[in-house]
Amino acid sequence: MDDESPGLGLDLPEEVKKPDDETHYRVLARKYRPQTFAELIGQDAMVQTLGNAIERGRIAHAFLLTGVRGVGKTSTARLVAKALNCIGPDGQGGPTINPCGVCEPCRAIAEGRHIDVIEMDAASHTGVDDVREIIEAVRYASVSARYKIYIIDEVHMLSKSAFNALLKTLEEPPAHVKFLFATTEVNKVPVTVLSRCQRFDLRRIPSEKLAEHFANVARAEGVDVEEEALQAIATAAEGSARDGLSILDQAIAHGEGRVTADQVRDMLGQADRGRVRRLLETLLSGQVAETIAQLDEAHSLGIDPGSLIRGLMESLHAVTRAKAGAGADLLQSAEEREHGAELAARLSWGNLHRLWQLLLKGLEDVRIAPDPQEAATMALLRLIHAAEMPDPSQLAAMLAGGAAPTVTPSSAPPAPTASPSATALIPSDFPALVDAVERQGKQLLGVQLRDHVGLVSFAPGEIILKPLKPLGAEFARELAAAAKQVTGQSWEVRLTDEGGSPSLQQQEVMAEERMRAAVLEEPNVKALLDEFPDATLETIDRKEA
């Protein structure tokens, strides 16, 4: 066999060239790990406290660093090790909050090769034998550093016996030993350990600081990233610098030399929010058949039913934030924000809370059901029909008047239209008309009539209203059509900016406050509250009142 022929399994493979530091790619989260306290973002209070302690020689023997993932716990522990062992460029320096980074201890610690700085992962070294090795080793002086430092990451993973074995050494360690613990679950660390450590709670990094940090990283990498994309990444990072850098790393690979906000949303799985918006609109309009069709379509595309319901909850939460006047989620597109503002104007607080609770219950049903798709379908159908039920105040009024509440499913045909001569069907006042409109299944129109308008005048065939909140351009036409469907006669609906009473919802609140004040003024109630000053009036039984 000549030299050119392939081997038969005994030949040695060609030598593979190993990547060196220049060619081997390092992810951004490792490449831009802070090397000084000045580079540690969002933890100014902790840095100041440590700086003062080092400057005054009040250095604790054990530190506990807590916080969510990616805020810099392990990085801070390494920085503390450098600060305590730095000897300066001339070799004569002492502990400092600004380690030089060029002396041998600083470089060795940064590269993870210092013999006196021992890092241990408690997740994989949980037993008492691992702790015994530490206990035996602390008796010996450091080899070359000022302090022998033990960094134990995820310390809450140590077993109970391991913690107990460490207690005595942790309370009275030799002067040359320092312990640095890091954990994401400080509640799992025994109190006996907490009491022996100086604790620092690392905070979530504010999104504006993260966005600024990511912008600096992008410039250093020579990548053009839109400002809105940086904000979206910072929001998705949830206060974690490491998570944000991982997302930025992925976004750079996802794009083609430029990272846009749309690319980030698409990468994070936000591109299919249009499907969720359409489903939410279908639910609110009470279209049973269309809801089932959209669920079946999502199922055929492989979309998890639980994810779909969580998406509905996220959309509803965004609507609630818009109604409360809070800032919009930066992961939302302009179209989503506009849609949220529109729904916020249409839905009352009561509707939002009820929808949220129904979706929350549906999510739990999906989690425990044998068939998640079936559970999701039943949950959303329950939401549609529950939305058609009268609220408690309407139900109480119906029962007090001896009328049985009637629910007309959205998929059922409309009730027969009364003839114009059937004047008995004409509501006697505006609240009665609102009740009749809602009984026809027009819940969103009912919400607007109760919450968003004040009555100026009401007469058979004519309604004059004052808008208290923005209304759709088709509001007057929709109300006229609904009133005609209910009564069988034509109605003229006019809007004006003058006069007008408070909305029906405001009137209910004022009536409730008057009733509450009257109850509190009742002599027996006042005597009871005087006897029990901590007691409060929680609810009022209207019948008893």
Side-chain angles (χ1 to χ4, degrees):
M1 182 170 59
D2 58 31
D3 295 339
E4 304 272 321
S5 61
L8 298 176
L10 298 178
D11 297 320
L12 295 176
E14 292 186 10
E15 183 179 353
V16 178
K17 184 179 179 181
K18 297 182 179 180
D20 54 26
D21 290 340
E22 294 182 358
T23 61
H24 179 57
Y25 178 72
R26 285 192 300 162
V27 296
L28 299 182
R30 291 185 59 193
K31 186 176 181 180
Y32 293 95
R33 173 170 276 170
Q35 299 299 319
T36 66
F37 281 104
E39 297 176 5
L40 190 67
I41 59 176
Q43 312 299 340
D44 298 341
M46 180 202 66
V47 173
Q48 182 178 358
T49 302
L50 282 174
N52 293 339
I54 292 173
E55 182 181 351
R56 299 167 188 171
R58 304 178 64 88
I59 305 171
H61 62 270
F63 299 88
L64 178 68
L65 307 171
T66 76
V68 299
R69 71 203 183 282
V71 292
K73 298 182 295 298
T74 306
S75 295
T76 300
R78 293 174 181 172
L79 290 176
V80 172
K82 289 168 66 174
L84 297 181
N85 284 325
C86 179
I87 59 175
D90 58 358
Q92 304 299 317
T96 173
I97 195 64
N98 297 309
C100 67
V102 298
C103 66
E104 177 56 25
C106 283
R107 288 190 288 111
I109 293 171
E111 295 168 6
R113 57 178 176 83
H114 201 296
I115 194 172
D116 291 320
V117 178
I118 301 96
E119 291 192 33
M120 187 181 91
D121 176 21
S124 55
H125 299 80
T126 62
V128 67
D129 291 337
D130 300 303
V131 172
R132 284 200 184 105
E133 292 182 12
I134 297 176
I135 297 172
E136 291 295 324
V138 297
R139 295 184 299 172
Y140 302 102
S142 57
V143 176
S144 62
R146 186 179 294 113
Y147 294 104
K148 178 180 284 190
I149 295 177
Y150 289 90
I151 299 175
I152 303 181
D153 202 7
E154 299 300 340
V155 69
H156 66 274
M157 300 291 286
L158 289 177
S159 64
K160 183 178 180 180
S161 57
F163 273 124
N164 290 336
L166 187 61
L167 284 180
K168 189 61 178 177
T169 302
L170 185 61
E171 185 173 17
E172 298 178 1
H176 62 273
V177 174
K178 303 292 181 185
F179 288 99
L180 297 171
F181 300 144
T183 179
T184 53
E185 299 185 49
V186 69
N187 58 300
K188 294 185 178 180
V189 179
V191 177
T192 50
V193 173
L194 293 176
S195 64
R196 290 166 167 81
C197 300
Q198 192 170 100
R199 174 174 168 175
F200 291 97
D201 292 276
L202 277 68
R203 302 178 179 179
R204 291 182 184 269
I205 305 172
S207 60
E208 59 271 14
K209 287 185 176 292
L210 283 177
E212 181 182 354
H213 178 56
F214 299 155
N216 294 333
V217 171
R219 280 194 294 270
E221 292 291 308
V223 179
D224 184 16
V225 183
E226 286 184 355
E227 182 176 352
E228 188 177 354
L230 292 171
Q231 293 289 346
I233 294 173
T235 301
E238 297 181 342
S240 169
R242 183 177 63 223
D243 286 9
L245 286 173
S246 297
I247 296 172
L248 178 60
D249 216 342
Q250 184 180 355
I252 293 174
H254 183 79
E256 298 179 356
R258 174 177 171 78
V259 178
T260 66
D262 289 338
Q263 288 174 342
V264 171
R265 296 190 188 100
D266 181 49
M267 184 189 72
L268 294 176
Q270 310 299 330
D272 205 35
R273 284 190 173 183
R275 179 183 303 278
V276 174
R277 289 201 309 274
R278 291 192 298 273
L279 179 57
L280 182 58
E281 281 285 2
T282 304
L283 288 168
L284 293 178
S285 61
Q287 301 177 45
V288 175
E290 180 62 21
T291 296
I292 296 177
Q294 291 186 25
L295 279 173
D296 290 343
E297 180 186 4
H299 184 63
S300 65
L301 293 173
I303 299 176
D304 177 59
S307 299
L308 201 60
I309 292 185
R310 283 194 295 272
L312 289 171
M313 295 179 72
E314 289 175 5
S315 294
L316 196 65
H317 180 258
V319 173
T320 306
R321 286 178 60 90
K323 191 171 184 66
D329 186 350
L330 291 171
L331 289 178
Q332 290 182 315
S333 63
E335 182 183 359
E336 288 175 304
R337 297 171 195 172
E338 182 180 348
H339 179 259
E342 179 187 346
L343 286 183
R346 289 162 52 188
L347 297 175
S348 68
W349 286 111
N351 286 66
L352 288 171
H353 295 322
R354 190 189 310 179
L355 290 169
W356 177 266
Q357 291 299 326
L358 289 168
L359 286 173
L360 192 62
K361 177 63 168 61
L363 185 62
E364 176 66 14
D365 290 350
V366 169
R367 187 183 67 83
I368 64 176
D371 189 327
Q373 178 68 10
E374 291 179 357
T377 302
M378 298 304 296
L380 296 188
L381 293 182
R382 180 170 64 237
L383 184 147
I384 291 176
H385 291 289
E388 295 168 345
M389 293 294 291
D391 61 35
S393 62
Q394 293 174 328
L395 188 59
M398 291 176 183
L399 294 175
T406 302
V407 178
T408 303
S410 300
S411 58
T417 303
S419 63
S421 60
T423 56
L425 294 178
I426 297 178
S428 59
D429 54 20
F430 181 60
L433 176 65
V434 176
D435 289 340
V437 168
E438 290 180 327
R439 285 197 296 273
Q440 291 296 321
K442 302 185 180 301
Q443 296 298 313
L444 293 180
L445 182 59
V447 168
Q448 291 177 309
L449 292 173
R450 288 188 179 279
D451 297 359
H452 299 173
V453 298
L455 179 65
V456 177
S457 70
F458 176 88
E462 182 184 48
I463 309 173
I464 303 177
L465 300 171
K466 177 182 179 180
L468 303 178
K469 295 181 181 179
L471 300 172
E474 300 296 317
F475 171 78
R477 185 187 62 79
E478 291 176 0
L479 176 55
K484 182 177 181 179
Q485 182 180 0
V486 169
T487 64
Q489 74 172 46
S490 298
W491 288 73
E492 180 184 0
V493 178
R494 292 193 289 123
L495 303 179
T496 180
D497 292 331
E498 299 179 357
S501 61
S503 68
L504 296 180
Q505 189 267 345
Q506 291 171 335
Q507 294 179 36
E508 290 178 4
V509 171
M510 291 187 290
E512 189 75 25
E513 291 176 351
R514 287 194 297 270
M515 181 181 293
R516 186 179 183 85
V519 171
L520 291 174
E521 288 299 320
E522 206 277 334
N524 291 333
V525 176
K526 293 182 68 174
L528 183 63
L529 293 176
D530 290 340
E531 184 68 24
F532 301 97
D534 293 333
T536 58
L537 179 62
E538 296 292 337
T539 59
I540 301 174
D541 187 315
R542 290 178 176 269
K543 183 177 179 181
E544 292 296 329

